[in-house]
Amino acid sequence: MSDIHALSSKPEREYCSTSEAAQMLGVSLGTVQQMVENGLLEAWKTAGGHRRIRIASVEDYLRKRSSGVSAAHPVALRVVVAEDDRIMQRLYMHTFETWGLPLEFRLVESGFDGLLEIGRQQPDLLISDLVMPGLDGFAMISKLRSDPKLAEMDIVVVTGLSPEDIAERGGLPDDVTVYGKPVPFKELKGYIQARLAQFQRRGRVAN
């Protein structure tokens, strides 16, 4: 018997679609996909590439959630993007939405706005341009890194400045990751997926 035939012989209602699982759990399709990748839900793929979720694993997850078991909750990465260019803001927003990852992202237009936003709720990741009106990225990052309460917040810079330009303006802390423009979304996605996996291993619960 072929593997495809064996899969197709599974009882019809033992499995549901990704959209059905999302409706049962009250979460987005992207969150369901992330839960499958993290092993929180059991699933398989049809010959046509469609994901099927084991209903029993969805029901088990719901039971654990209702009983207060926290380790199985999906995580969401909190991201602040500091970028003053409106076209770039829309590009970030559109790209993040197409990834289907559990992200909570906010957009700010200056370093000053970034400090205010981070003061309201500390993100896990700051993605920042350097050249912005008012308080620029250099000053904002210097202020953030002087606060020990923000030591675990990751900072990624995406800039059109050359390494020489950055050095002439005083440089950046060693723990800041720097990418050149255009925005390297492939690298950013890998970075974010790695952070999500790290949070999942630690058992962090999304707020």
Side-chain angles (χ1 to χ4, degrees):
M1 180 183 293
S2 69
D3 290 340
I4 293 177
H5 182 72
L7 290 174
S8 64
S9 67
K10 292 179 180 293
E12 183 180 355
R13 292 314 299 168
E14 184 180 351
Y15 292 84
C16 64
S17 67
T18 303
S19 59
E20 288 173 326
Q23 185 174 8
M24 292 170 66
L25 294 167
V27 299
S28 68
L29 292 175
T31 298
V32 171
Q33 292 166 359
Q34 190 69 29
M35 292 170 73
V36 170
E37 292 173 7
N38 289 331
L40 300 179
L41 296 175
E42 298 177 33
W44 61 284
K45 283 188 177 181
T46 67
H50 300 290
R51 185 179 276 114
R52 293 291 178 262
I53 315 293
R54 189 166 179 261
I55 293 175
S57 70
V58 176
E59 293 172 343
D60 183 57
Y61 174 86
L62 288 171
R63 279 193 298 272
K64 289 179 179 178
R65 185 168 67 180
S66 63
S67 65
V69 178
S70 63
H73 285 261
V75 297
L77 193 78
R78 294 185 290 268
V79 182
V80 168
V81 177
E83 170 62 67
D84 63 304
D85 186 284
R86 295 296 178 88
I87 294 177
M88 294 301 301
Q89 289 180 358
R90 288 194 293 270
L91 182 59
Y92 273 112
M93 184 180 299
H94 172 74
T95 304
F96 286 168
E97 289 174 348
T98 62
W99 286 347
L101 297 175
L103 300 178
E104 299 173 4
F105 61 90
R106 293 161 283 163
L107 297 167
V108 298
E109 297 185 354
S110 71
F112 182 72
D113 291 338
L115 291 178
L116 290 176
E117 188 64 46
I118 291 168
R120 280 191 286 266
Q121 183 181 36
Q122 178 181 336
D124 302 301
L125 171 64
L126 168 67
I127 301 173
S128 180
D129 194 4
L130 291 177
V131 180
M132 294 182 289
L135 192 73
D136 64 17
F138 290 98
M140 175 181 64
I141 291 170
S142 176
K143 179 70 173 177
L144 293 171
R145 278 298 182 248
S146 68
D147 187 343
K149 296 191 298 293
L150 302 174
E152 293 189 3
M153 182 182 68
D154 288 350
I155 300 178
V156 170
V157 162
V158 180
T159 179
L161 297 179
S162 68
E164 293 75 20
D165 292 332
I166 294 174
E168 287 178 4
R169 299 194 184 198
L172 293 166
D174 292 338
D175 61 349
V176 173
T177 300
V178 180
Y179 292 118
K181 288 187 175 179
V183 182
F185 283 111
K186 181 178 180 180
E187 286 79 3
L188 282 179
K189 184 177 182 181
Y191 189 104
I192 287 172
Q193 287 175 319
R195 289 293 278 150
L196 285 167
Q198 184 181 46
F199 287 155
Q200 187 63 48
R201 287 194 297 271
R202 292 176 180 175
R204 187 180 108 174
V205 181
N207 293 328

